[in-house]
């Protein structure tokens, strides 16, 4: 999902990037394609994690969309991989009537039909059967509308949208489709654009971008970034974007004019304090300010948590507690990290636990000695790097999981102990 989302975000936003950034994005696409190829299984579907033996239907559709978009953008895409993918998609389309039903499973089918239409292998019979069957979710209806528009049947796509409410009765996140309100609104925006309602789409796009919509464009999940990039790039191709010209005055110390075609960027000096921006364009300008900060070396970061509990302790070979501030060089010890889900009603899925280590420590990679045998159900995937361990897992309600990492104090000196973080992917 992350590989596909990254590739889709790059492909769809490439026309809006600077020349240098667009060139960097193009250099990244082949590596992402290769990474996806390695995840394809014999049945033509794609696994979520390396080494898994079952295909994830939503991720498979995402991989196919990315490969199709990359091919349209002029990249060399394996015909063998895409051919196997098409067979998998068509087989799943036919099996949908007898498949296991879960919340928004109709969106999974609608997305599959959308990707087939995008790849010019539309299954219109299945699309018609889905439309006439009724009882579709709001999200699936929007996706199906886009599929019809891709087939040249914009009137059908428009009719589907007109029969719907402005939004679902209740916004809910969905595990199987990695959904969120922002992602679903992006699906609706795309459907409106593809059906030809550009004027309505313009109003909808503006409401997505404004803070008073209740949806903030950053930070986004990988799923949201891919869907928003797809919808907004399609919107940009269907409207005329004028030149942007603004005057930036940083508290009277640095005044300059910046301009660009559709977008203008300026780096600000925080030391200057207040900044004044004057619009010298012929139309409205929307301003967004992005700030980046990092704690100074040695500055303590206050621990905080929301909806999960996180505790870390360090123990020696005999199980006794040791303190990171006074470990002797050459000592081997273990970091024990406990993650707790205190909720009595909510399961947590797709969690990522990242343990960064100081530069004076080394990770003892037990995989190299054949000793890494994870406990049943502990984690879905473990990423071991020189400076960190990342565990990916799910956590049922009212339970906890402990993760252990063997370490060695390799170098003498004074080092900064980074924070341990756990968050939903």
């Amino acid at each position: 999902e992350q590989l596909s989302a990254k590739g889709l975000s790059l492909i769809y936003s490439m026309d809006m990037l600077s020349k240098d950034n667009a060139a960097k994005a193009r250099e990244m696409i082949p590596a992402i394609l290769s990474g996806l190829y390695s995840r394809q299984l014999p049945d033509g579907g794609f696994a979520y994690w390396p080494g898994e033996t079952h295909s994830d239907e939503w991720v498979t559709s995402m991989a196919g969309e990315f490969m199709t978009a990359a091919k349209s953008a002029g990249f060399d895409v394996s015909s063998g991989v895409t051919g196997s993918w098409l067979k998998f998609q068509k087989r799943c389309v036919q099996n949908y009537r007898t498949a296991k039903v879960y919340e928004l499973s109709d969106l999974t089918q609608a997305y599959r039909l959308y990707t087939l239409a995008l790849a010019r292998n539309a299954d219109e019979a299945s699309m018609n059967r889905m439309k006439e069957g009724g009882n579709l979710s709001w999200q699936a209806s929007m996706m199906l509308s886009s599929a019809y528009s891709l087939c040249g049947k914009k009137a059908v796509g428009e009719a589907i949208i007109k029969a719907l409410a402005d939004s679902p009765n209740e916004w809910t996140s969905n595990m199987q489709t990695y959904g969120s309100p922002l992602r679903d609104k992006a699906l609706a925006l795309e459907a409106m654009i593809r059906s030809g309602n550009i004027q309505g789409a313009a109003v909808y796009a503006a409401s997505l971008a404004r803070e008073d919509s209740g949806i903030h464009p950053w930070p986004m999940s990988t799923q949201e970034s891919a869907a928003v990039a797809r919808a907004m790039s399609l919107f940009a191709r269907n409207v005329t974007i004028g030149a942007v010209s603004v005057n930036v005055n940083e508290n009277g110390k640095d005044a300059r004019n910046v301009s660009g075609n559709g977008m203008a960027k300026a780096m600000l000096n925080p030391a200057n304090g207040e900044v004044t921006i004057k619009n010298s364009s012929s139309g409205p300008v929307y301003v967004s300010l992005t700030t980046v900060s990092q704690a100074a070396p040695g500055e303590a970061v206050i621990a905080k948590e929301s909806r999960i509990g996180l505790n870390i302790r360090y123990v020696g070979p005999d199980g006794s507690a040791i303190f990171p501030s006074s470990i002797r060089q050459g000592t081997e010890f273990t970091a024990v990290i406990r993650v707790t889900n205190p909720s009595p009603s909510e399961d947590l899925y797709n969690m990522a636990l990242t343990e960064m280590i100081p530069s004076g420590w080394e990770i003892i990679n037990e995989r190299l000695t054949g000793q890494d045998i994870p406990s049943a159900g502990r984690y879905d995937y473990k990423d071991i790097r020189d400076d960190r361990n990342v565990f990916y897992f799910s956590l049922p309600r009212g339970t906890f999981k402990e993760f252990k990492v063997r370490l060695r104090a390799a170098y003498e000196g004074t080092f900064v102990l980074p924070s341990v973080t756990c968050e939903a992917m």
Side-chain angles (χ1 to χ4, degrees):
E1 190 273 342
Q2 294 185 19
L3 278 173
S4 300
K6 182 178 182 180
L8 288 169
S9 299
L10 291 172
I11 288 286
Y12 290 132
S13 63
M14 203 170 292
D15 290 343
M16 294 178 276
L17 299 176
S18 66
K19 184 177 179 180
D20 290 343
N21 284 337
K24 292 177 182 177
R26 294 192 69 87
E27 292 176 359
M28 297 168 68
I29 299 300
I32 298 174
L33 285 168
S34 297
L36 282 179
Y37 296 162
S38 66
R39 308 284 178 93
Q40 190 173 42
L41 300 178
D43 63 1
F46 288 79
Y48 188 91
W49 291 113
E52 287 188 337
T53 57
H54 63 279
S55 299
D56 184 301
E57 294 185 15
W58 185 267
V59 166
T60 297
S61 291
M62 288 187 71
E65 181 190 354
F66 170 57
M67 290 188 296
T68 301
K71 185 176 180 180
S72 298
F75 293 93
D76 185 21
V77 179
S78 170
S79 59
V81 173
T82 54
S84 296
W85 169 80
L86 280 171
K87 292 178 182 178
F88 178 89
Q89 293 292 84
K90 291 178 179 179
R91 186 164 60 251
C92 288
V93 164
Q94 296 304 316
N95 292 339
Y96 173 71
R97 285 172 288 179
T98 59
K100 180 182 178 182
V101 176
Y102 52 85
E103 185 184 7
L104 290 185
S105 58
D106 58 350
L107 176 57
T108 301
Q109 174 75 342
Y111 186 26
R112 195 156 40 222
L113 292 169
Y114 169 93
T115 61
L116 288 173
L118 195 66
R120 300 183 180 180
N121 276 271
D123 187 338
E124 294 193 37
S126 295
M127 290 165 57
N128 293 335
R129 188 162 56 244
M130 190 173 195
K131 179 173 68 73
E132 298 301 327
N135 296 321
L136 292 181
S137 66
W138 186 87
Q139 292 89 336
S141 297
M142 288 297 183
M143 200 94 240
L144 188 61
S145 169
S146 292
Y148 270 108
S149 296
L150 281 168
C151 296
K153 298 184 176 181
K154 292 187 177 182
V156 179
E158 185 179 14
I160 292 175
I161 296 174
K162 286 183 176 180
L164 297 174
D166 291 338
S167 64
N169 293 330
E170 182 179 354
W171 291 107
T172 58
S173 297
N174 181 263
M175 162 62 185
Q176 287 83 0
T177 69
Y178 310 94
S180 70
L182 179 58
R183 193 283 306 269
D184 294 344
K185 284 181 177 289
L187 299 185
L189 174 59
E190 178 184 3
M192 295 174 69
I193 299 168
R194 292 195 183 278
S195 67
N197 185 5
I198 305 301
Q199 186 174 357
V203 176
Y204 204 87
S207 72
L208 271 179
R210 288 199 307 264
E211 284 191 6
D212 60 8
S213 68
I215 297 175
H216 299 277
W218 189 265
M220 292 185 187
S221 70
T222 49
Q223 187 74 205
E224 290 169 339
S225 65
V228 170
R230 179 174 62 213
M232 286 300 194
S233 66
L234 186 64
F235 178 66
R237 291 197 298 270
N238 283 273
V239 297
T240 301
I241 301 178
V244 173
S245 179
V246 295
N247 181 267
V248 180
N249 190 321
E250 297 185 59
N251 209 15
K253 299 179 181 178
D254 183 8
R256 62 196 187 280
N257 198 74
V258 293
S259 60
N261 185 23
M263 180 183 295
K265 293 184 178 181
M267 294 292 292
L268 304 177
N269 184 354
N272 289 338
E274 184 177 297
V275 59
T276 303
I277 299 176
K278 181 179 179 181
N279 180 15
S280 53
S281 309
S282 58
V285 169
Y286 298 90
V287 180
S288 61
L289 177 65
T290 302
T291 60
V292 179
S293 63
Q294 183 175 344
E299 179 183 347
V301 178
I302 300 174
K304 57 183 178 180
E305 59 186 44
S306 174
R307 297 169 61 190
I308 61 172
L310 184 62
N311 176 268
I312 181 169
R313 56 193 175 91
Y314 301 93
V315 298
D318 60 354
S320 61
I322 60 176
F323 300 95
S325 58
S326 57
I327 299 177
R328 294 178 63 86
Q329 184 180 13
T331 301
E332 292 189 6
F333 58 102
T334 301
V336 182
I337 308 168
R338 173 178 287 204
V339 185
T340 306
N341 178 5
S343 172
S345 58
E346 183 182 14
D347 297 328
L348 299 177
Y349 297 99
N350 293 332
M351 303 297 291
L353 171 67
T354 303
E355 185 208 16
M356 302 286 294
I357 67 167
S359 54
W361 294 358
E362 289 180 343
I363 296 171
I364 301 175
N365 189 345
E366 296 179 327
R367 286 179 180 170
L368 300 179
T369 61
Q371 296 175 324
D372 183 47
I373 305 175
S375 302
R378 277 296 177 211
Y379 54 80
D380 301 317
Y381 187 71
K382 181 180 179 181
D383 186 8
I384 303 175
R385 305 186 187 184
D386 289 340
D387 63 345
R388 75 195 69 183
N389 277 276
V390 187
F391 299 88
Y392 301 94
F393 61 98
S394 296
L395 194 58
R397 67 197 76 174
T399 64
F400 71 87
K401 288 185 177 181
E402 279 193 349
F403 305 92
K404 298 181 179 181
V405 179
R406 288 184 60 198
L407 302 164
R408 179 188 296 111
Y411 303 100
E412 185 179 359
T414 301
F415 308 96
V416 174
L417 181 64
S419 301
V420 176
T421 60
C422 186
E423 57 190 343
M425 291 166 60

